[in-house]
Amino acid sequence: METYADEIKQILREQKLFFASNETKSLTFRLEQLKKLKEEVKRREQDIIQALAQDLNKSELESYSTEIGILYEEINFTMKHLKKWAKPKRVRTALTHTGSKGSVIKEPYGTALIIAPWNYPFQLALSPLAGAIAAGNTAVVKPSELTPAVSLLIKEILQHIYPASYIAPVEGGVPTSQTLLEQDFDYIFFTGSVSVGKAVMEAAAKHLTPVTLELGGKSPVIVHEDANIALAAKRIVFGKFTNAGQTCIAPDYLLAHKKVKKELLRAIKETIIEFYGDMPLESSRYSKIVNDRHYGRICEYLNDGKVIFGGEKSDETLRIAPTLLDQPDPGSPVMTEEIFGPILPIVEYENLHEVIEFVNGRAKPLALYLFTKSRETESQIMSCISFGGGCVNDTLMHIATPYLPFGGVGESGMGSYHGKYSFDTFSHSKSVLKQTTAFDFSFRYPSAKNGLKLIRRLMK
Ligand code: NAD
């Protein structure tokens, strides 16, 4: 069993030394490294597209929009704003502190560990890395072993532009990941499943290392009676079947209002055919399931309800057609586990209270989508259900803007990133009070005459 323990320890020693040299803290250095990353990704763009096709049968459109382009945007945005973000911020001080100045200095944690999953294997490894670099950290990046072509490519890209004493890719599976987690990193950024997230947090507790956990769960999409049905159908099909449903924020199940369910299902079926054709298993626009294990797991869900559309599958190419599953048993695996595949169970409801009770009866979702024209419905859902993030009248798109923090809550994770939030995630906010030496209020000292009286007046 390969764990690369000695190599990992050596890398970490070297990274700690390099971090101590203070080189990573210069703004010019950080900007240069971000630029290098973008240039190298550009240079290898065709190889990335090929690797994603090999590992997941991703189409070029999907690869560019959800893996490569999104990373360019993240790097561009970061480079544009980094100077401002990194600048120490002056803050006000309290009346009791008259004469002093307060400031918040953003400092890098040090050595960061980034562990990535397989579903967006490129972007989910390198987008957090952009944040770690921007904040001035060194980093070890562990891509997912389940997408080996992309993992190898990430290694090649990083090794080509960075020394391991600054940014080091470490390839490997669970044992390697566990060995990494035993080390004394200064920050851990993990994207993956809830169960592994718990193991990550447990390992981090040993060194009291702060963590960001980007996890998963069951994200509902609610279509209310007043929704624009044609648009809802398009956007749900887009969100659910992109990457064959292997998206952490894909709508996991559909809550459809009784009055519009029939019309909605008809529109969803038409849209699936429009997007992927009559034979989705043959379509070059449609992804495959990552491996046999996940393929078998997802196929089992087909027994948990009534297949009213799709259901075709191919053991050879590991593809499962976009599938609609009506009347799922609420206690069955398809309704209790994260599906992470192209099966959409449909639950009918009559009023919003049912919806709120249903969603709140489960772990807090990573995402929630609501289709409605009513402000009142919107505000009722927003104020009654806790979830990581989401959209009204759309799916997935909240992840693609650097202005919104992306992350979960409760079982779907902790912490967030993207844009400035990535920079903040990988930075410690160091508070400094600079006191004046021009005068000295003596009322705080034990020898002060009317000290207590004055303090009582100031602090009441
Ligand atoms: P996973 O938890 O199995 O693996 C993620 C990473 O952890 C991999 O690099 C893997 O090698 C490592 N790992 C696996 N088991 C480990 C263990 N016992 N100890 C230490 N490390 C271990 O997740 P996955 O199957 O790669 O990804 C799918 C999951 O990730 C889904 O639950 C999905 O919702 C979630 N996800 C979340 C986000 C997000 O941004 N919130 C994004 C993508 C995926």
Side-chain angles (χ1 to χ4, degrees):
M1 194 169 62
E2 195 57 91
T3 64
Y4 306 106
D6 293 339
E7 290 93 325
I8 286 169
K9 285 187 177 136
Q10 176 67 14
I11 288 171
L12 197 62
R13 262 196 302 274
E14 285 175 12
Q15 290 208 350
K16 290 199 181 232
L17 267 177
F18 184 61
F19 182 73
S21 76
N22 272 340
E23 221 174 298
T24 64
K25 293 184 185 164
S26 116
L27 191 64
T28 322
F29 176 87
R30 301 184 206 182
L31 288 168
E32 260 169 30
Q33 308 314 314
L34 287 168
K35 186 163 166 256
K36 264 196 226 170
L37 181 60
K38 187 175 166 196
E39 281 170 0
E40 185 60 9
V41 171
K42 276 231 172 260
R43 198 176 70 83
R44 302 295 302 267
E45 212 172 283
Q46 276 314 312
D47 299 332
I48 300 163
I49 288 166
Q50 252 175 35
L52 286 164
Q54 194 176 324
D55 285 337
L56 289 158
N57 197 46
K58 280 199 192 194
S59 68
E60 188 167 342
L61 171 66
E62 243 185 75
S63 292
Y64 194 88
S65 60
T66 67
E67 300 256 21
I68 301 169
I70 205 166
L71 179 68
Y72 292 156
E73 284 300 293
E74 184 71 14
I75 296 175
N76 294 344
F77 189 81
T78 305
M79 289 183 70
K80 188 165 167 213
H81 298 284
L82 187 56
K83 195 172 168 198
K84 192 171 71 213
W85 298 340
K87 221 168 147 185
K89 300 270 173 312
R90 278 284 301 274
V91 294
R92 296 173 63 131
T93 50
L95 189 59
T96 40
H97 293 56
T98 302
S100 66
K101 289 174 187 157
S103 56
V104 179
I105 299 167
K106 291 286 188 182
E107 67 173 19
Y109 279 105
T111 51
L113 170 63
I114 295 164
I115 300 179
W118 54 263
N119 61 333
Y120 290 83
F122 187 73
Q123 187 251 115
L124 292 175
L126 298 189
S127 175
L129 177 65
I133 291 174
N137 297 273
T138 69
V140 169
V141 179
K142 199 209 77 69
S144 172
E145 71 281 17
L146 300 193
T147 37
V150 175
S151 175
L152 180 65
L153 200 57
I154 288 176
K155 180 173 145 182
E156 285 175 14
I157 287 173
L158 296 182
Q159 283 184 341
H160 188 72
I161 51 175
Y162 304 130
S165 57
Y166 173 45
I167 306 290
V170 172
E171 284 195 288
V174 177
T176 306
S177 194
Q178 285 166 333
T179 307
L180 283 164
L181 288 166
E182 282 164 16
Q183 314 306 316
D184 186 11
F185 280 94
D186 298 299
Y187 201 87
I188 299 174
F189 189 103
F190 172 80
T191 308
S193 59
V194 174
S195 59
V196 179
K198 288 178 185 170
V200 168
M201 198 160 168
E202 218 175 304
K206 298 229 166 70
H207 299 286
L208 279 182
T209 304
V211 290
T212 293
L213 301 177
E214 294 283 342
L215 310 178
K218 291 186 84 61
S219 301
V221 51
I222 305 159
V223 180
H224 203 46
E225 57 181 316
D226 60 354
N228 177 331
I229 298 299
L231 260 185
K234 265 204 172 152
R235 293 173 181 174
I236 291 170
V237 171
F238 165 75
K240 179 70 187 185
F241 301 109
T242 288
N243 202 23
Q246 302 168 108
T247 303
C248 56
I249 50 166
D252 184 281
Y253 61 94
L254 167 64
L255 290 161
H257 193 281
K258 195 176 174 181
K259 279 194 192 150
V260 292
K261 183 181 160 193
K262 211 168 146 195
E263 188 192 345
L264 176 67
L265 292 185
R266 194 180 332 112
I268 287 181
K269 290 174 194 172
E270 280 169 17
T271 311
I272 293 174
I273 295 169
E274 182 192 330
F275 284 8
Y276 302 108
D278 286 324
M279 310 238 279
L281 298 189
E282 316 285 315
S283 170
S284 60
R285 283 177 268 165
Y286 190 59
S287 298
K288 74 179 196 57
I289 306 303
V290 68
N291 61 17
D292 286 329
R293 186 170 66 81
H294 282 283
Y295 175 77
R297 178 183 65 76
I298 298 165
C299 287
E300 284 293 309
Y301 294 141
L302 295 170
N303 306 319
D304 293 347
K306 195 171 141 207
V307 174
I308 55 164
F309 188 80
E312 304 86 8
K313 55 199 169 66
S314 159
D315 298 355
E316 267 160 49
T317 60
L318 300 186
R319 295 211 212 175
I320 303 169
T323 298
L324 305 179
L325 199 72
D326 203 10
Q327 297 159 13
D329 172 355
S332 65
V334 82
M335 286 311 293
T336 53
E337 297 167 2
E338 179 182 12
I339 298 170
F340 222 58
I343 296 177
L344 183 68
I346 301 126
V347 178
E348 185 179 298
Y349 73 89
E350 279 183 67
N351 65 63
L352 281 182
H353 295 293
E354 279 172 71
V355 167
I356 293 166
E357 208 177 302
F358 192 91
V359 180
N360 286 346
R362 290 158 167 71
K364 291 181 181 177
L366 177 61
L368 180 142
Y369 306 109
L370 169 67
F371 287 85
T372 182
K373 285 183 195 138
S374 148
R375 282 255 178 105
E376 207 179 304
T377 302
E378 183 185 326
S379 93
Q380 196 177 349
I381 295 294
M382 293 306 143
S383 61
C384 296
I385 301 179
S386 173
F387 56 93
C391 309
V392 177
N393 295 322
D394 209 343
T395 66
L396 310 193
M397 297 308 282
H398 64 295
I399 201 174
T401 156
Y403 295 98
L404 286 174
F406 175 71
V409 56
E411 276 220 0
S412 55
M414 60 181 70
S416 62
Y417 73 129
H418 288 178
K420 178 163 190 300
Y421 300 94
S422 290
F423 174 80
D424 288 341
T425 283
F426 285 100
S427 303
H428 163 62
S429 294
K430 185 157 75 180
S431 303
V432 177
L433 182 89
K434 186 172 177 183
Q435 189 56 278
T436 177
T437 51
F439 53 86
D440 185 30
F441 289 131
S442 56
F443 58 83
R444 64 174 146 150
Y445 300 131
S447 54
K449 259 192 197 147
N450 290 319
L452 179 61
K453 213 165 127 194
L454 240 163
I455 285 178
R456 275 188 183 280
R457 207 180 296 159
L458 287 169
M459 303 168 81
K460 51 194 175 200

